[in-house]
Amino acid sequence: MTRLIDVPGMAALMRQVGIAPFMRELAQRIRADYLRWPEFEKSARLASHSDVGVIELMPVSDAARYAFKYVNGHPGNTALGLPTVMAFGVLADVATGYPRLLAELTLTTAMRTAATSVVAAAALARPGSRTMALIGNGAQSEFQAIAFHDMLGVDEIRIFDVDEQATAKLRRNLATAAPALRVVVARDTATAVRGADIVTTVTADKAYATIVTPDMIEPGMHINAVGGDCPGKTEIHPDILRQARVIVEYEPQSRVEGDVQQLPPDFPVVELWQVVGGQQPGRESARQVTVFDSVGFALEDYSALCLVAELAEKHGIGMALPLIATGEDPKDLYAFALDGNGNALRVAA
């Protein structure tokens, strides 16, 4: 049987484990899997674009397990009462192809994105970074704030969004989830960014936007650019990238989808696995500006699905789903087309 973790199941798992502890363990898994980078068969995600959004498939595998995620990005969905991002994923055995897990990944994607941001920031932000600006206060924002507070010791966060209701929502949720975190509502992006050690951008509009401009940048800042994640969707002014050390997840994908899509194909970037593994330095000086141009990569979903599978089994969460037709004789698939008396089921005319 395939274990199904639906939305109620994932919510039950988070109540059992805790969101911050889950992201903490997930960050460790993601870092460990990036250290195994050569062991994975990788490809850029397959994307189907429209004028209003994108639908993507994200596969990756090692010698033992295969994972993929179905995910969309439709910024206009909130006006329809739907999330901007919706996702589910599958984890299967490479040896047999049997799908062991089918899981919701909308909530999990938000947590794996925040966990990956922290993995990158641990290598790129200046030691002792305590202040973060968070531009974009939508569905991702709580997870980014909690992860940086819990794992990197950020104790002050300046928040801004053009949607004041989103900012009020974030402030309300953080008051409960992270009461020790000082939350400052800024009047605009420039005010939020001024003097921050880390700048996280997580906006949703599918546009060539310039959320952060060169005049806002100060020496030594680390920019965690999360929202620019498909062709025609950016957040960071290209002049910032030209003057910074830019880290990406998987270069063939990031060149098409990341903020670096604005720059020539020979613009130098470094992949995250090289920094995590010590093949390339992260921050080279205290005054250097660093950018994690994050678009989300399938390896991070692999880490998340593996962790969800283990925790769900440990806590007895999820249900057995007869997703695959398996019977006494694996060669007799036609048996599933018979009724209880062994008679062929009538095919409607």
Side-chain angles (χ1 to χ4, degrees):
M1 290 286 191
T2 302
R3 184 186 294 268
L4 171 65
I5 308 294
D6 57 8
V7 174
M10 189 64 70
L13 186 61
M14 289 306 102
R15 287 193 296 270
Q16 189 78 237
V17 177
I19 288 176
F22 178 83
M23 289 195 291
R24 203 179 306 141
E25 186 167 354
L26 181 53
Q28 295 172 356
R29 293 292 187 97
I30 289 171
R31 187 179 189 281
D33 285 333
Y34 268 107
L35 288 172
R36 299 197 297 124
W37 183 262
E39 299 177 24
F40 288 90
E41 184 175 340
K42 301 169 285 289
S43 64
R45 54 190 164 204
L46 179 64
S48 179
H49 295 277
S50 69
D51 292 339
V52 295
V54 62
I55 297 174
E56 300 168 328
L57 290 177
M58 301 173 62
V60 72
S61 64
D62 62 7
R65 287 170 289 196
Y66 171 94
F68 80 82
K69 181 171 76 174
Y70 166 99
V71 63
N72 78 300
H74 286 71
N77 270 5
T78 52
L80 305 173
L82 295 171
T84 298
V85 175
M86 298 176 285
F88 68 87
V90 170
L91 186 67
D93 293 334
V94 167
T96 64
Y98 195 90
R100 296 295 176 183
L101 179 72
L102 173 61
E104 87 77 41
L105 283 186
T106 307
L107 172 61
T108 310
T109 291
M111 293 187 286
R112 77 88 156 117
T113 302
T116 304
S117 294
V118 169
V119 170
L124 298 173
R126 288 175 297 186
S129 293
R130 294 292 178 265
T131 303
M132 182 168 81
L134 182 53
I135 313 302
N137 300 162
Q140 285 270 344
S141 57
E142 285 86 355
F143 302 98
Q144 291 282 334
I146 292 168
F148 275 84
H149 176 57
D150 179 70
M151 288 183 266
L152 279 193
V154 167
D155 55 25
E156 178 178 300
I157 184 168
R158 292 93 166 268
I159 62 176
F160 174 72
D161 195 303
V162 293
D163 181 352
E164 294 181 357
Q165 291 184 345
T167 298
K169 175 270 305 180
L170 174 59
R171 189 178 191 183
R172 181 175 63 251
N173 288 340
L174 290 179
T176 302
L181 179 62
R182 182 169 181 255
V183 179
V184 178
V185 177
R187 67 175 181 270
D188 53 32
T189 299
T191 304
V193 169
R194 189 175 300 122
D197 298 308
I198 299 169
V199 177
T200 291
T201 56
V202 59
T203 60
D205 285 346
K206 187 178 181 181
Y208 285 115
T210 51
I211 306 302
V212 180
T213 53
D215 57 292
M216 301 178 190
I217 302 304
E218 300 172 14
M221 279 182 169
H222 171 60
I223 301 172
N224 178 38
V226 178
D229 59 1
C230 71
K233 186 171 185 279
T234 64
E235 296 178 311
I236 309 300
H237 192 287
D239 285 347
I240 296 175
L241 301 173
R242 292 187 181 99
Q243 299 169 16
R245 183 166 178 79
V246 179
I247 309 300
V248 301
E249 289 142 314
Y250 182 54
E251 185 174 349
Q253 181 174 298
S254 299
R255 292 284 185 189
V256 176
E257 300 180 349
D259 275 277
V260 292
Q261 69 185 268
Q262 304 172 86
L263 300 179
D266 60 349
F267 176 80
V269 299
V270 176
E271 289 184 326
L272 180 59
W273 74 273
Q274 296 173 299
V275 174
V276 171
Q279 289 89 343
Q280 290 281 346
R283 170 173 295 278
E284 297 172 307
S285 72
R287 292 181 60 82
Q288 186 177 49
V289 174
T290 55
V291 176
F292 179 44
D293 186 8
S294 175
V295 298
F297 185 56
L299 178 60
E300 299 146 18
D301 301 309
Y302 170 96
S303 305
L305 285 165
C306 289
L307 179 57
V308 167
E310 292 178 21
L311 291 175
E313 183 174 358
K314 176 182 177 181
H315 295 285
I317 291 174
M319 64 186 76
L321 182 68
L323 184 64
I324 303 300
T326 56
E328 293 183 5
D329 182 357
K331 294 185 178 181
D332 188 8
L333 185 62
Y334 187 72
F336 289 93
L338 304 178
D339 65 18
N341 297 318
N343 300 312
L345 298 176
R346 186 181 299 276
V347 178

